[in-house]
Amino acid sequence: MELRSPKTTPILSPELWNHIFQFLSPKDLLSIINTCLEWSELLEDRKKTFLLPLIIPSIMQHVDAKTSFKFRKISKSAKLGVDETLQSFSNSDDDKPFGFHYEDSSNQQHLRKIAHKTNSRYEKCFKIYSPFLTHIFPDLTTISSNINPFLMGHIHYSDHSSMEWSLLTRNDHVVNILPKFGHHILSIKCNVIENRRDILPFSHFVSNLQHVPNLKRLEMKPYRDFNPLAYPVLPALPTTSYDFPPLPKLLLLNVNSVDGDRESISSFVLEMLKKYSQQLTAFTCRASLFTLASLNLEEPSTSFPNMKKFRLLATRSEIPAALNKLSNVSWRLERFHLEVSGSLNDRKLNPHDVLSKINKFHQSLVHLELNCQLEAKDNESEAGNEHNYRQMSKLKILITCPSNLKLGLFKRFLERSCLTLKEVHLLTNDGDFMMFREEGRWALEQIRSVDKVVFWYRKYVRREQINTKYTMRRTEAKTSYGTEDST
Amino acid sequence: MALVRVISSDGAAFLVSQRLAKRSGKLKTEIETFRKSSDNSEAQPEIRIVTIRAEILRLVLQWLQQHQNDPVLPANQNEQDGRGDAEMGQSQWDRDFLAPMDLGIVMELILAANHLEVKGLLDITCKLVESKITGRTVDEIRTAFKLKSDFKGNEEEQTRLENRWCVEN
């Protein structure tokens, strides 16, 4: 609620106003003190109390982890402020495929470090969980399940060095923890052992999902037994129907390392999609899985009716089939990311093939990432080949390789059909953006709505890789350029 | 000199130069948006800030005025630990500016600096609050923020255990 009534005269007695104010949240109280002087004075005494949770996200960027956690002991609202701030930073990793993942302010990095440090302590807890837990909680059975050992709301397991354990598929590691504390978990990144011998790990995974009823994001990676005698022959799993629990809050599923041709895990993921595809708003997968005939997008149970964000990873040879399948969906996609792997030459795609499919989402798409190189076929004369694309009426952000801006067809698509575009982000290799300044200028001059063109590249500072940007801006109404370089 | 009218939530109008206003990330964006939507390039932009009252807005503008010739602080001032280093930007003027302020006003300034994207001011105000917390006991912090513990039953003990799990072991 935001109160905007600067001319209101409080006609109730101060006592009555104070009585009303005590039911309001800190945000509402902030609106109250900004409304008029009388109300601001009425709340003068309580100001420090209710402003504290609001300033915690800023303060946490300036203090160490120990002080941040000290806030949790002060009051309930301060505790909530700390927990929400930490969760927002620890979970943002999972949103990376759909977020503005290149950008990281220094203060965010600091917070993320606190989040990661704390997360790594959880991992440590699980690896050596018996002695550690016994030390912290001498008797687990007496501890209230309200105690939250997952302050970040997130757990991350990706230990490839150990064959011994994996969360959700190894019962002995979770038997005491998940049933009791799983409701605190909002986000999981984990391995599922892709076992060639039996389906037991999958059954464990499914039965343990019931302990995380508030799960919002799930990232699964297959964990493979690379015994050369066993690889690559994998017997098909016996047809089993798993009893997936309802996870009403699950919105994001990331299975970007599951290959469609690995039958044991891909058939498991497809089973899972039958249960959850109706509710998912974000999905990341490989083209080899996406193009499987058994993933029927016209079937109601696997049609992803609420899909908003879709990220597809593919090799060049998989692209035609994947794009073809995409043309049959009826999603209202807001974000689409296409990432083509392989050597540079292998990544080249025909622009019309790609653009005509993307054009399907012309009414809803806001954010488009084409991390691939487009190239017209020799027999398609660039100048003579005109296509009528529909207006991408909501598109604001484009992320792509700078060389694509050399291509006539792609340029015409941007000039004529992307009239709402605000930002163009160009992914360059180590600092070679200077080669593409002309393309940046072209975007600012020819696409009227574009405010800025950002070149992204990686820089190493003290052996740490930092994503760095170089920004070209339109300054005022004139066609001159301001530049800035920030890390 | 191009000017801009910045209006507080309670209706007070401040006339400042656009050059000064643009040192706030938020005001800069607002001015550019106004320019684009306005046909008359000479028109004076008017920006209403509904979340900041006059007393606080005046302080932010006063701080910007004093620091209008400072180099713009890079986002990543101290790469080693990733933390903004406020002390580098804190002058005697800043200390005198903050000295008479009540903690409640400083807290409102933090929210205003955050909203208006004025990094330097955000850094020094956060640093000031930090100095009131670091090295203090929980009870002392409660006194500073006029807070009473509202934990019930064993909730305080639960919080202590959770913290111990995370940082205090």
Side-chain angles (χ1 to χ4, degrees), chain A residues 78-90:
Chain A
K79 180 177 167 179
L80 192 68
V82 174
D83 292 358
E84 283 177 352
T85 310
L86 284 175
Q87 278 176 20
S88 70
F89 279 94
S90 100

Side-chain angles (χ1 to χ4, degrees), chain A residues 101-112:
Chain A
H101 46 295
Y102 308 105
E103 197 150 18
D104 235 4
S105 80
S106 57
N107 290 339
Q108 285 173 334
Q109 282 170 19
H110 171 59
L111 265 187
R112 197 160 284 140

Side-chain angles (χ1 to χ4, degrees), chain A residues 182-183 185 205-216 218 242-251 272 274-280:
Chain A
H183 60 282
I185 296 175
F205 178 86
V206 173
S207 70
N208 281 318
L209 278 180
Q210 67 177 303
H211 301 307
V212 284
N214 296 317
L215 195 67
K216 283 185 186 163
L218 175 61
Y242 297 95
D243 190 12
F244 287 99
L247 294 172
K249 297 182 182 169
L250 185 71
L251 296 177
M272 203 171 158
K274 279 185 193 155
K275 175 75 183 179
Y276 302 115
S277 92
Q278 295 279 321
Q279 65 193 72
L280 291 180

Side-chain angles (χ1 to χ4, degrees), chain A residues 143-149 179-181 183-184:
Chain A
I143 301 283
S144 155
S145 62
N146 288 335
I147 290 190
N148 180 7
K180 193 155 192 173
F181 304 108
H183 60 282
H184 295 295

Side-chain angles (χ1 to χ4, degrees), chain B residues 16-31:
Chain B
V16 293
S17 76
Q18 290 192 17
R19 181 175 165 268
L20 182 79
K22 282 182 176 175
R23 294 185 71 87
S24 140
K26 169 87 177 169
L27 293 179
K28 187 177 173 190
T29 316
E30 293 281 339
I31 291 170

